[in-house]
Each structure stands twice: as structure tokens, then as C-alpha cells.
Amino acid sequence: MIEIKDLHATVEDKEILKGLSLNIGPGEVHAIMGPNGAGKSTLGNVLAGREAYEVTGGSATLDGTDLLDLDPEERAHAGLFLAFQYPVEIPGVSNLEFLKASVDAVRKAQGKPDLDSVQFLKLAREKCKAVNLDVSFLKRGVNEGFSGGEKKRNELMQMMLLEPKLCILDETDSGLDIDALQVVAEGVNAMRDENRSFIVVTHYQRLLDYIVPDYVHVLANGRIVKSGGKELALELEEKGYGWLEKEEQESGAE
Amino acid sequence: MASNIEIERQIAAREYKAGFITNIQSDTLPPGLNEDVVRFISNKKGEPEWLTEWRLKAYREWLEMESPDWAHIKYPDIDYQAVSYYSAPKSMADKPKSLDEVDPELLETYNKLGIPLHEQMALAGVAVDAVFDSVSVATTFREKLKEAGVIFMPISEAVHEYPELIQKYMGTVVPVKDNYFAALNSAVFSDGSFVYIPKGVRCPMELSTYFRINEAKTGQFERTLIVADEGSHVSYLEGCTAPMRDENQLHAAVVELIALDGANIKYSTVQNWYPGDENGKGGIYNFVTKRAVAHTNAKVSWTQVETGSAVTWKYPSCVLKGDNSVGEFYSVALTNNYQQADTGTKMIHMGKNTRSTIISKGISAGKSQNAYRGLVRMNPTAEGARNYTQCDSLLLGDKCGAHTFPYIESKHPSAVVEHEATTSTVSDDQLFLCQQRGIDTEKAVSMIVNGFCKEVFKELPMEFAVEAGKLLEVSLEGSVG
Amino acid sequence: MSDFLAEQLSLATKQTGPEWLSELRDAGQRSFSDAQLPTRKTEAWKYTSLYNLSNAGVANAAPAAQGHAPVIPGLNGLRLVVCNGIPDVCSSDPEAMELVVRFTDADAEQQQAILAQLGKTLADKGNLFSDLNTAALTDGYFLNVAKNHILRKPLHIIYCTTPVTESGDEKFTVNTRLLVNLQSGSSATVIEHFSGEGEQNNFTNAVSEICVGDNAELTHYRLQLMSEGAYHISNCHIDLQRDARYSGFHLALGTALTRNDIVVNHNVGGSHCELNGVYVPQNKQLVDFHTNIEHKVANCTTEEVFRGIMNDSSKAVFNGRIHIHPQAQKTLAELSNKNLLLTNKAEINTKPELEIYADDVKCAHGATVAQLEEKATFYLQSRGISKEEAEVMLSFGFINELLDALDDEAIGAWLRPQLAQRFGRDDALTTHIGGDL
């Protein structure tokens, strides 16, 4: 599904990703964990094509398509979805207008038939219910005045509407209480199927109790330094990240 | 508000410590202004023909111009024929060769002001040019600076020693016709400092000019020119004081800064001209034109602490000509009693990715009027330029005024300008909290005012930040009964 | 005196109007007779040149039988259509005709009420164009809402300029005057709607004088949707009495020249003013808003928000002054002005001003000229929306925030598609904004 090879990226001339490689097959859920400042959020932003993040080496392909060559919206059309850690508020642009524009663009690019307003409204209401968000949120400005949990559920709703191939959840658990976390996890789990893959970026193991990953990777200092099964997350929870960094330093010194 | 009355009393009782008169014999031109006076000044300084002509041309321009009336200040029409345009201590007539030949009375004046001119007693790391009425008394550390290739001398001497530099740069940043007071200054300017920092040189000391008006009925019209060649750095500070007199005295200066590619000029001012008494009698009329041109990758930073003068009309500005050049303006302006200040800056963005920051803190007390006036202009060429402006006013008492007049002109879609202004007072709640914690009103107000100005003080060179803090404290010091 | 002013004066002096207005009219003519056109040296006209005003028509408008007055769907209002200065009886609601007194129809009692208020708020100003309006004062409209009366339906006054001749190329001048008096405890919504057709360079000079009485409440819309070539100058004065509430929305689409002076006086105490505005000039249009809030007394509040988007080679001027008089303690006043330039030929000049003479007040203003937020553009792009469409949506959202805040949703719904056209000339880019889904 997605193949990332030796990816290097800089932000304001500072190298954040230093040769990251990762392969994710269809239907797989990969968790990426790591200490603060390891480059976890950078990965999502680079894959989604944010301008300030400059790719200086390596490659990333989604089903054979070179992602790095595409504009952000073209990556979305290709089936990549980034659930933001801090979704931006856009007063004045209604959530509904925004969602319709987004769904129209993606469906058009994917050769799917247009949804008319009635069909769309019905669908949007359905998804609102699925993520336990009152339909009144559709009329409000995009994320405007939403609580942390509401913003994350709004992200999830967009994911459901767009039906992407690859979902990147960027610290979706940050700032969520346990109830909100469960709602989000249930939504994600409902979307899991054999053709859709997930990258779940998180600092804490807790989220992985609810979204159980197939693989866990540790990202430190811009690279994957350790990979394993879901039990690795528990190990990290117990020991923290310090031992890994130490291990890496030692292996680097050899 | 009882507490505010208390604050007012304290502030009104501020003491002007630089208000003494030096008893000295001076050569003073009788009041009046005409072409002969302009020629006299030029002749007195032994200037070359071109400069005399330059002055006369400026004088003729000035005659055609009108005094600006747009500022938020009121003062009686100035009688330019009642001002003396040249005054110098008699002892300076022979041009003393060294400090030992300088009249001890003059040296004592500067000692009293806290600016000893003997190098062994002087503040380490600061070179001083001391200007007394229309002449420079002494310039310290000249030799040491010369070793680094830095030129620091009275402009009247630079005209003779470096005529090509003066001719190349003088009047290029502030043209003769720029405004009424700049034209007047160009005609009758007396002394001031000239600084040249060669390519790539980091000036080894702080440079400083101390201006002192002493003689009655005289005006001071100094002119300062600083040229920082490519990649050089310099930090410059000026201070100014005058005796307490019942008549208003005129001060109209011009300062031109040129920061060539990659150069960095930091210009700080502590302005403490005599502000007049508590009834608004006397004080300096301070009409000053200060402007800098910043070339590619250059940076100019203006910092000013304005506590003196009866009237202040002053807008230190930056023309950000080169790409990536940076302009900064940090200002504290305190007005009290009947003082009036209309001060601010202009940031003219011409180059790409130019940046400017304006932080202005106005404190009004007594019956004073304090206005910020600023212009931020994004020219059609200012792609990616940015400005951030923050103007805060603090009102102490309900008889004073605080005003904000920011002009924003933008002609480039990618330029970003942000302006914010707030106004506040020292609230009863704040005072009560301090009092409850055992801090008296005077100290509390002083703390709050200092906190209000902190952002600007941190931009001053260390020694002067302390001085500026003290100056404000003196302003708020008084007879707590 | 410039030719334009001299012609205007001569046009004004030739008019005949009711005798009881003649004293005011004469005074207007006197103060106008030695007027000069302001130049760029006049601070209030620093960024707006009146040089082209001489292109505007100076002639009396021929009475048009019927104007093409636009309809705002869903607005359950009382329509008063004024076409080329004359009431258009066919297009107006009879109820509106009854509610609003035309000066020339006023009875003795009404004449007295009009004279008691007319020109009073303007008296100390000496404004060239309100003087001209008074000099040409032959008619006008008066809304008087009785004590404690609640006007349930909004009054929708539509001023149209309509060409009368076949060719439609005549140019003319229209002076309009509106007087509103909300007596104590009353409440009303007034929509002043300026509409025009064709490309002709008509000159409209509008003056509105409004008094909101003790504890009364006015919701005021001033919508300027005129033809591209129009010259429009307006003066709007609002007096707020004790505990009065004013909520205003001022929209200028832009014309060859649009200049609006809005003055709000907090006269007695406890009053609240909410003043919002939007300007969106395009092509070579010019919009100039000068607002002035006079806090003359203590305990009043002002919230002012103006936003503008300049497209093509257009230019906008915003000058927002807040003046706190020495007695005006405990004032809360805030002003925000935000601007977007869409091209490198567009221009904005903004100047928020604070003049404060009282210490126990909270005042702030902010002005920005900015680009669209990169974060927001990226967010939309990451959801598959093209950069071009994202920028159109975000530009629209920038002013739509103020439309969303309008009390009357019908007005917002009617304005949105018209405003949307300003940012996306390509229909494909505006399909997701402005309309109903």
C-alpha cells in the first residue's frame, strides 16, 4: 500500500526526518510511537504535503504513485487522509460547505458520481451521528469554538465521508478524555477493513488498547529505531523511551 | 479615585536633576536669522565653499516652507528671530588640543551630569563626544577607535578630515527639503557626531554623544551622521539635558543613519531635556528628524526613552530599501505636567522580505498629552514583508491624554501588517494588592510602570537600561506624606 | 470654488421646496457657498481624491415612473421604494408609505417634529457634503417611532437610481435625506438599501440622521449595492440617548467612488453601539469608510468590526476613530479592522485612531493587512479541495463571519451569493460558498 524509503525532511533548514523507511500493507494498522520531538508529527505533515516541510531525500509511494510529486489536494484525491493533531479553526466557512467541497473534489477526482445536496446532507447527518456529533455542528464555522474532543470527532467524520485508503492519525488521542477516546477508537475500528491501512501516531500506549495495531514502530531522532508487535507498546509504556535512545547511541558508537 | 490623586502628587513632584546652569563666558551670536547668520556659522567652522552654499540653499528653502501643523501638540508660534543660532564657550575658541586644555568648568559640568570625560574615569567601553551648545568639547577614546579603523569625531571636524564621506552621505537620508525643521537644521546646524565603521568591523566600544544646552535664548541644531559600511556593527547612544529656564528653547536636530549591506546599527536615545515646570513654564521644544536607510540584509534598531522636553515632535524612521533588511523601533515616552509628545516611527518597506517591529509604550500623567503616530508602508515591491506593531498607553490620572494614530498603507498582497493598541491605567485593584503585600503606593506605581516598559528597556545597552529605569523612578519619586 | 461645487450650488439654489424648510436650506446654501473641494492635504481626504467627482452628473433626475427595486427574498419587510428621489408608489407597500412621512406631505405637527431634529446632529460638523445636502433640501423621509412602540417588521427603504431615457446614458445628482427618531423604549429595524443600474456616473449624496431615544433599540442596515460607475457620498449620524442600543451593519460593494462618514455620539450614558462593516471593491473601485465614535459621557460601550477585501486594482480606505472625552470614565471601546489584498495592484490604507482623555477606560484597537492563513489553506487542501477554491472559500469566510452575525438571516442569505461572485469569477470556484446547500 504505502512504501516509504529513506525519507529525509527538513523544517526551517533543520533536519527532522533522517532516513525513515516504512512499508505498510493493505488492511494493516501500524502504530508509530516515540518521544517528543522525534519527528512523529513531521511524518504526517510531510506525507500530506505541507509546504514548510521540505523533502530532501528518499521516496514515498502510495500504491505505486509517487506521493512527493503531488500537491496536497492531489494526495487527498489519491486516498491519503491526515487527521490533524490540532485542527485549525476557520470562522466564516461553514463546516457543511467545507465538507461538501471536500467530498465533491475527492469524488470527482476518483471518478465517482456527484452527490446532490440532498444526498450529501443525508450522508453528512449520518456520519455526524456515527461520531456522536450533534448535526448543529454542520452549520458552524469549521472547528470554530469546538472543544478538543469535538474537533477530533469532526476529523473522524471527514475520514468517514472521504473513505481514504491510508489514514494517518496524528496524536488523535492528545487532550481526549477516556470517553471521547473510546468514541474515536470505535469510529476508527469501524472503518478498518482489508483494503484500508492506518498509521496511528501516538505518544501514549493507552490509545493502542482501543485501536489494536498490527505493528508498533519506535521513531527516535528522525528514524525508526525499533519495530515489533503490539507487545512493544506495552514495553515502552513500562520502560519509557530513554533505554531505546541509549541503545541506539551505543549501536551508533560501535 | 483617591489613589490616583496620590499618584499625581508624586509625579508632579518629580525633580529635574540636570537643571543647573554652568557659569561660563560664551561667544553668543545675537538673536536673529538671515543669510549672514548662516554664513557666520559656516565661517566660524571654517567650512569649504560647497557646504556654505548647501546651507544657504537650505535656508532659502526653509523660508518658503511652512511649519507643520498636523501633530497633536499646541505651542505658541516660535519667533525664529528671537533665537540665537550660535553659542560657544569662549575657552573653546582656540580649539584645545587635549582634555588638559579644556576649561575645568566645562569638565565639571559633565562630571556633574555623570559623564566624566577623562578616559581613566570614564565608563569602561563607552566613547563619548560631548557637545556643549554649538560646539564639541571633547571626544574620548578617539585614538583607541582609530586603531580599529572607526572614525568618531565632531561633524565639524569630519567636514575637514573626511570631506568625501560627508559630501557623499550628508543629506541623502534626510534631504534638505524633507520638512520644515530639517531645512532649518540644514541651514544652521552647529555640531554633532560623525561615525564611520569600515567594512566588516565590529565597533569595539559603545559610542555615545552627550548634548548639553547651556546658554539662554539659544537653540541647538546638531547633526549626526552614522555610516556603517558593509557587514559592520555599531551601537550608539545619545543623551541630552538642559538647564531649567522659564523661556522655551528650541532644539531641532537631524540624524542620518546609513546601514550598508549586512550592517547593523543600534541607536539608543535617552532624552531628558528640561521639560518645563509643573505649571508648564519653560522647557525645550524638541523637533527632531531621525531616519535610517537599511540596505540588503542590514538591520537598524532605534530605541528611545523620552522623558524630557516641553514639546516632542520626533519620528525615528527606517527606509527598508534592501531585501531582507530589518527595522526596529522601541520607545518609552513619559509625559507629565504640561508636557506634550507626538512621537512614533515610520517603517517604509521597499525590499523583499523586509521585517519591522514597533513597540511603543506611552505613559501620560498630570495634564500632559502623549501621542503615538506611526506609519507602516508596504510598497508594491515589498513582497513577503512583515510588520508587527504594539502600542500601549498607560494613563496616570484623569487630566491627561493618550492617543494613537497609526497609518497603515499596503500595496502588496503578500505583505503582512499587524497593529494592536491598548490603553490601561494603574488600577485600584493592582495598587491594593501591592499595598496588602506591604508595598507602598509610590513603589507600587514605580514597579508597575517599570513592568510596563520592560520590553523596551531590555533593548537598551545594559548601563543605560539601568539609567533609564532610574530616570523613570525619579519621575515618579516624590513627597509621600 | 470648483466647477463641480459651483454647479451643485446652482442646481441646489434652483430647487424649490416647502417654505418651512427654507430657513435650513438657506443656511445650507450659505455655508456651502464658500466651500472648497478638499484636497489630499486635508487629513480626512488624505487617501481619497475627489478629482474624478467632476465626471459625476450634475442635473436633476427626471422622475422615473417606476424603479427596478430589488427584492430580498424571505425578508418580511415594509418596502418603501424611492426612485430618483421620488417615492415609487407602485413598488412600495402602502403600510410603509403610511409609516414614513415624506417631508413635503408633513402636517404642521410633523413639520415641527422634523424641524426639532433635522440638522441638529450635523450642526457642529461643517461637513461639505452634508452642507450640500442641506442646501438642496426640498424633500426627505421621516420615521418617527412612538414611545414604547415595537416596529415588528423591518422598514426596507430602497433608493434606486434609474435612467429614464431610452438610451439610459443621462447622468444626474440625487440628494437623499432620512430622519429617524426612535422615542424612548421603542424598537425598530431599518434597512437603507442603495441600488442602481447601468454604468452611468450618477452622484448620490445621502444623509441619514438618527436618534435612538432612552432605552430604545435600532437595528440598522446600510447596504450599498450600486452600479460600477456611481459616485456615492454618505453621511450617517447616530445619536444615542440613555441606555440606547444601536446595532449597525454597513456594506459597500464599491463604486467609482464611495465615501461613507459614520458618526456615533454616546450622549447621555449607558448606551451600547455595535458597528460592523464590510467593503469589497473590485476593478478600479474605491471605497472609503470614516467612522468616528464620540464617547462624550461615562459608562458606554462600543464594539466595532470592519473587514475588507480588495481585488484587482481597487483601493480602500478605513479610518476608525474612537474619541474618549474627559468625562467618559468606565468606557469600554474596541475596534478591529482586518484587510485582505488579493492582487498586487490593490491597495489598502487603514488608520485606527484612539484619542483618550479619561483614565479609567478600557480601549483597544487592532488593524491587520494579511494573507490567508497557511494553516487553513493547507487544511482545506489536505481534504482534496484545490488551492484556488480553498482561497476563494477562505476569502469569503473572512467576511462571511460578519454576515453570519446578522440578526436577519434573509439579508445574509441574499447577500452571500452576490459577495461570493467578488472572489471567484469562475463559477466552479464558488459552488460551495454563499448559496444554500
Side-chain angles (χ1 to χ4, degrees):
Chain A
M1 164 87 48
I2 185 158
E3 235 177 286
I4 304 168
K5 275 190 205 152
D6 195 30
L7 192 63
H8 290 255
T10 59
V11 181
E12 287 173 356
D13 296 328
K14 195 176 167 220
E15 189 167 51
I16 309 286
L17 296 185
K18 303 170 182 173
L20 184 145
S21 298
L22 188 63
N23 269 321
I24 298 177
E28 293 175 359
V29 175
H30 290 238
I32 295 191
M33 303 184 70
N36 290 324
K40 299 196 301 288
S41 282
T42 301
L43 178 62
N45 278 303
V46 166
L47 292 178
R50 190 154 195 178
E51 210 172 324
Y53 294 76
E54 197 190 340
V55 175
T56 51
S59 67
T61 55
L62 182 63
D63 283 341
T65 309
D66 180 5
L67 273 182
L68 303 180
D69 205 30
L70 303 180
D71 284 338
E73 62 268 31
E74 293 169 330
R75 299 182 199 207
H77 301 164
L80 183 143
F81 183 93
L82 171 65
F84 287 83
Q85 183 180 5
Y86 303 111
V88 64
E89 297 194 11
I90 313 178
V93 174
S94 89
N95 216 3
L96 197 61
E97 281 172 12
F98 160 67
L99 294 171
K100 178 86 162 60
S102 164
V103 169
D104 282 357
V106 171
R107 288 183 71 97
K108 191 176 174 204
Q110 293 176 349
K112 293 179 187 165
D114 277 355
L115 294 180
D116 65 29
S117 296
V118 179
Q119 290 170 314
F120 177 75
L121 206 56
K122 189 163 165 264
L123 189 67
R125 288 205 172 119
E126 217 172 84
K127 301 302 180 197
C128 261
K129 231 174 248 155
V131 298
N132 202 10
L133 208 55
D134 193 90
V135 288
S136 66
F137 280 84
L138 291 171
K139 292 221 158 177
R140 286 167 56 175
V142 177
N143 295 319
E144 188 187 1
F146 290 20
S147 71
E150 286 158 358
K151 281 181 182 165
K152 297 294 165 79
R153 278 184 273 158
N154 200 25
E155 294 290 287
L156 185 62
M157 176 171 67
Q158 292 166 38
M159 188 158 91
M160 291 174 164
L161 282 169
L162 295 176
E163 302 177 333
K165 278 192 235 170
L166 173 69
C167 307
I168 305 165
L169 309 182
D170 188 6
E171 308 222 11
T172 293
D173 51 334
S174 68
L176 290 192
D177 63 34
I178 196 74
D179 294 337
L181 185 71
Q182 276 175 330
V183 172
V184 171
E186 273 166 30
V188 170
N189 287 331
M191 286 191 69
R192 282 176 80 158
D193 67 31
E194 65 272 22
N195 295 316
R196 184 171 291 130
S197 314
F198 289 84
I199 297 176
V200 181
V201 176
T202 181
H203 186 75
Y204 302 105
Q205 187 269 340
R206 190 182 67 161
L207 177 66
L208 305 180
D209 287 343
Y210 298 93
I211 303 174
V212 182
D214 302 305
Y215 301 93
V216 174
H217 309 277
V218 180
L219 179 62
N221 196 21
R223 260 179 301 186
I224 303 282
V225 295
K226 197 174 182 73
S227 299
K230 62 186 175 213
E231 64 289 346
L232 177 58
L234 291 168
E235 201 178 343
L236 287 167
E237 176 80 356
E238 211 171 289
K239 298 188 186 171
Y241 294 104
W243 62 281
L244 275 170
E245 282 169 1
K246 213 166 157 194
E247 204 170 75
E248 217 224 343
Q249 272 167 12
E250 279 160 13
S251 69
E254 276 162 20
Chain B
M1 286 209 291
S3 50
N4 268 0
I5 293 165
E6 184 59 31
I7 295 167
E8 275 171 50
R9 261 190 50 216
Q10 288 170 28
I11 296 168
R14 69 189 280 203
E15 213 183 311
Y16 187 72
K17 288 181 174 164
F20 61 89
I21 298 172
T22 306
N23 283 317
I24 199 162
Q25 289 224 311
S26 284
D27 270 334
T28 304
L29 204 61
L33 182 56
N34 52 45
E35 294 204 0
D36 290 341
V37 168
V38 175
R39 283 202 185 85
F40 173 87
I41 295 168
S42 188
N43 188 37
K44 195 86 186 168
K45 295 185 179 286
E47 286 174 356
E49 182 65 21
W50 69 265
L51 191 49
T52 313
E53 283 309 312
W54 195 80
R55 285 174 178 275
L56 285 169
K57 199 173 148 252
Y59 174 71
R60 288 164 201 150
E61 297 283 6
W62 178 75
L63 286 177
E64 301 295 314
M65 295 170 82
E66 275 174 33
S67 189
D69 60 359
W70 39 260
H72 196 276
I73 49 179
K74 280 192 198 118
Y75 55 94
D77 284 345
I78 296 169
D79 180 358
Y80 291 92
Q81 297 304 335
V83 176
S84 165
Y85 290 84
Y86 187 87
S87 177
K90 278 207 167 117
S91 60
M92 294 303 293
D94 309 330
K95 300 222 168 81
K97 298 278 176 298
S98 74
L99 223 47
D100 300 335
E101 292 176 29
V102 172
D103 186 339
E105 192 70 28
L106 280 174
L107 296 181
E108 185 50 31
T109 300
Y110 285 91
N111 276 339
K112 266 196 194 162
L113 294 168
I115 329 268
L117 297 177
H118 281 289
E119 292 186 7
Q120 59 273 29
M121 291 158 66
L123 217 47
V126 183
V128 178
D129 182 13
V131 177
F132 192 88
D133 289 333
S134 304
V135 291
S136 172
V137 171
T139 310
T140 63
F141 297 108
R142 271 165 82 160
E143 290 310 311
K144 188 176 171 197
L145 289 166
K146 214 170 174 183
E147 285 166 29
V150 172
I151 304 168
F152 179 44
M153 59 170 56
I155 203 160
S156 56
E157 288 178 39
V159 166
H160 297 289
E161 293 189 36
Y162 301 97
E164 67 295 340
L165 284 174
I166 300 291
Q167 230 173 331
K168 182 172 177 190
Y169 291 111
M170 193 168 76
T172 59
V173 185
V174 179
V176 166
K177 279 191 351 180
D178 188 80
N179 67 69
Y180 189 74
F181 297 104
L184 176 63
N185 175 286
S186 302
V188 301
F189 75 89
S190 40
D191 230 332
S193 302
F194 172 70
V195 175
Y196 174 79
I197 317 290
K199 267 185 202 173
V201 169
R202 186 176 280 271
C203 185
M205 318 179 78
E206 298 272 347
L207 304 183
S208 162
T209 305
Y210 197 92
F211 296 98
R212 174 75 178 169
I213 297 179
N214 187 61
E215 195 60 29
K217 297 195 173 69
T218 58
Q220 193 174 54
F221 306 91
E222 87 268 8
R223 197 163 180 112
T224 294
L225 174 61
I226 299 178
V227 180
D229 214 327
E230 291 171 22
S232 66
H233 286 244
V234 62
S235 170
Y236 177 93
L237 184 124
E238 62 171 357
C240 20
T241 56
M244 296 196 267
R245 291 187 203 281
D246 284 350
E247 308 87 42
N248 297 107
Q249 281 180 281
L250 180 63
H251 171 253
V254 168
V255 175
E256 297 178 283
L257 310 185
I258 293 143
L260 296 172
D261 292 0
N264 191 326
I265 301 179
K266 186 174 177 61
Y267 192 107
S268 314
T269 303
V270 176
Q271 188 263 102
N272 189 25
W273 294 119
Y274 178 53
D277 69 9
E278 69 274 15
N279 298 314
K281 202 156 196 202
I284 303 292
Y285 289 161
N286 190 32
F287 294 91
V288 176
T289 307
K290 292 182 169 179
R291 194 173 305 148
V293 171
H295 292 262
T296 307
N297 297 324
K299 178 178 172 185
V300 173
S301 181
W302 296 102
T303 306
Q304 61 174 24
V305 177
E306 302 279 318
T307 60
S309 298
V311 170
T312 299
W313 179 100
K314 180 183 172 191
Y315 317 91
S317 304
C318 296
V319 179
L320 302 172
K321 196 170 175 187
D323 293 351
N324 310 314
S325 56
V326 176
E328 295 174 342
F329 175 75
Y330 299 95
S331 170
V332 166
L334 173 85
T335 55
N336 188 13
N337 296 325
Y338 286 87
Q339 278 179 280
Q340 305 175 69
D342 192 295
T343 182
T345 183
K346 289 192 246 182
M347 293 291 174
I348 310 296
H349 291 253
M350 296 167 77
K352 287 179 190 155
N353 299 316
T354 44
R355 300 269 183 279
S356 65
T357 305
I358 300 171
I359 307 287
S360 165
K361 306 281 179 177
I363 303 152
S364 326
K367 299 183 173 67
S368 70
Q369 298 295 330
N370 196 331
Y372 166 81
R373 184 180 305 275
L375 167 67
V376 175
R377 177 182 290 153
M378 297 296 182
N379 277 17
T381 48
E383 185 183 326
R386 289 225 177 331
N387 161 267
Y388 174 73
T389 302
Q390 173 78 47
C391 290
D392 297 318
S393 306
L394 188 67
L395 289 116
L396 303 174
D398 58 3
K399 306 267 184 319
C400 52
H403 319 297
T404 317
F405 306 107
Y407 294 72
I408 299 166
E409 305 174 1
S410 182
K411 291 187 179 176
H412 201 291
S414 71
V416 176
V417 184
E418 275 180 82
H419 169 95
E420 284 173 40
T422 65
T423 172
S424 57
T425 184
V426 177
S427 73
D428 287 350
D429 291 347
Q430 289 169 320
L431 285 182
F432 182 67
L433 174 71
C434 293
Q435 286 169 326
Q436 210 286 317
R437 298 292 183 268
I439 303 161
D440 66 35
T441 309
E442 180 183 329
K443 184 72 192 156
V445 171
S446 159
M447 277 168 58
I448 290 165
V449 169
N450 259 295
F452 179 74
C453 302
K454 203 156 72 188
E455 262 175 290
V456 173
F457 285 169
K458 74 176 173 37
E459 296 298 324
L460 285 170
M462 176 95 99
E463 311 83 73
F464 302 109
V466 176
E467 191 190 326
K470 276 192 207 148
L471 195 56
L472 284 202
E473 201 145 335
V474 165
S475 310
L476 301 166
E477 191 175 84
S479 50
V480 189
Chain C
M1 188 173 220
S2 79
D3 289 351
F4 177 77
L5 296 186
E7 285 172 41
Q8 286 291 354
L9 182 63
S10 125
L11 187 69
T13 47
K14 275 187 228 148
Q15 322 241 34
T16 49
E19 188 54 37
W20 58 276
L21 285 173
S22 63
E23 199 178 313
L24 257 175
R25 192 168 54 236
D26 291 348
Q29 287 171 4
R30 273 197 305 277
S31 56
F32 189 74
S33 63
D34 50 31
Q36 296 291 329
L37 267 190
T39 66
R40 305 288 281 269
K41 282 188 181 165
T42 312
E43 181 66 22
W45 296 89
K46 185 176 164 73
Y47 297 110
T48 297
S49 165
L50 288 171
Y51 180 76
N52 287 327
L53 198 56
S54 54
N55 293 337
V58 187
N60 278 324
Q66 202 173 347
H68 298 281
V71 174
I72 301 181
L75 177 76
N76 187 19
L78 303 172
R79 278 161 67 86
L80 174 66
V81 179
V82 178
C83 190
N84 297 356
I86 314 291
D88 171 353
V89 182
C90 304
S91 313
S92 301
D93 291 324
E95 216 181 319
M97 304 276 295
E98 208 166 299
L99 181 67
V100 179
V101 176
R102 189 180 173 190
F103 287 6
T104 44
D105 297 338
D107 61 26
E109 199 184 327
Q110 288 163 334
Q111 287 176 14
Q112 251 185 343
I114 291 168
L115 285 175
Q117 191 187 347
L118 197 63
K120 294 290 184 288
T121 50
L122 307 170
D124 51 344
K125 276 293 158 193
N127 177 301
L128 173 70
F129 291 98
S130 51
D131 281 351
L132 171 61
N133 191 287
T134 305
L137 186 64
T138 53
D139 207 349
Y141 299 89
F142 177 40
L143 171 68
N144 190 8
V145 183
K147 193 173 171 186
N148 294 332
H149 182 72
I150 313 280
L151 199 60
R152 299 274 170 207
K153 290 184 177 177
L155 173 64
H156 185 191
I157 305 173
I158 306 160
Y159 302 100
C160 332
T161 48
T162 304
V164 182
T165 59
E166 195 89 346
S167 61
D169 59 358
E170 76 270 26
K171 305 193 282 188
F172 47 81
T173 292
V174 180
N175 284 292
T176 67
R177 188 84 163 222
L178 176 70
L179 193 62
V180 174
N181 184 23
L182 263 57
Q183 297 187 24
S184 67
S186 67
S187 161
T189 296
V190 174
I191 304 155
E192 284 187 87
H193 180 167
F194 297 87
S195 162
E197 296 164 39
E199 292 300 309
Q200 73 278 42
N201 308 121
N202 294 320
F203 173 54
T204 49
N205 181 28
V207 172
S208 301
E209 293 176 76
I210 294 169
C211 179
V212 186
D214 293 355
N215 201 32
E217 182 168 17
L218 176 68
T219 305
H220 185 207
Y221 298 83
R222 218 152 193 266
L223 311 175
Q224 295 165 342
L225 305 110
M226 287 158 296
S227 59
E228 186 96 16
Y231 292 83
H232 181 81
I233 290 180
S234 89
N235 279 278
C236 183
H237 290 253
I238 298 133
D239 270 1
L240 301 180
Q241 304 305 104
R242 177 167 300 287
D243 300 325
R245 291 174 303 282
Y246 171 81
S247 163
F249 177 73
H250 296 245
L251 169 75
L253 274 195
T255 65
L257 169 69
T258 297
R259 163 69 179 238
N260 293 307
D261 283 80
I262 302 166
V263 178
V264 178
N265 294 308
H266 288 281
N267 282 339
V268 188
S271 49
H272 176 64
C273 163
E274 210 177 291
L275 181 62
N276 294 338
V278 165
Y279 44 95
V280 283
Q282 62 180 3
N283 301 326
K284 286 189 165 174
Q285 295 174 337
L286 167 67
V287 175
D288 180 343
F289 270 103
H290 269 61
T291 71
N292 183 20
I293 314 289
E294 296 283 349
H295 278 268
K296 297 180 175 174
V297 290
N299 299 309
C300 299
T301 54
T302 295
E303 284 172 56
E304 181 174 348
V305 178
F306 270 75
R307 292 205 177 167
I309 305 183
M310 281 52 70
N311 208 347
D312 306 316
S313 305
S314 68
K315 175 172 160 179
V317 180
F318 176 79
N319 192 115
R321 177 170 183 256
I322 294 177
H323 181 189
I324 313 291
H325 293 242
Q327 306 78 15
Q329 297 290 2
K330 307 278 179 200
T331 292
L332 298 180
E334 268 185 44
L335 180 156
S336 155
N337 173 236
K338 292 187 180 179
N339 299 281
L340 273 180
L341 293 179
L342 296 185
T343 75
N344 57 8
K345 292 204 179 75
E347 181 181 338
I348 172 70
N349 300 290
T350 170
K351 185 176 149 215
E353 290 180 56
L354 284 174
E355 248 187 278
I356 300 177
Y357 297 92
D359 61 340
D360 190 13
V361 298
K362 280 209 176 76
C363 296
H365 69 213
T368 62
V369 184
Q371 288 177 286
L372 297 171
E373 231 186 319
E374 183 271 337
K375 268 196 298 191
T377 315
F378 178 67
Y379 189 73
L380 265 60
Q381 277 184 284
S382 78
R383 296 299 178 254
I385 300 165
S386 73
K387 194 168 183 194
E388 293 72 29
E389 187 175 358
E391 285 174 355
V392 169
M393 289 179 77
L394 292 171
S395 301
F396 182 75
F398 181 75
I399 51 170
N400 192 41
E401 261 190 274
L402 293 180
L403 297 179
D404 280 346
L406 297 183
D407 283 343
D408 199 311
E409 180 43 35
I411 296 175
W414 181 69
L415 287 174
R416 277 189 198 96
Q418 302 187 61
L419 291 173
Q421 281 173 2
R422 295 255 151 173
F423 315 113
R425 307 272 165 74
D426 181 350
D427 286 347
L429 298 179
T430 57
T431 43
H432 296 105
I433 57 169
D436 294 316
L437 269 175

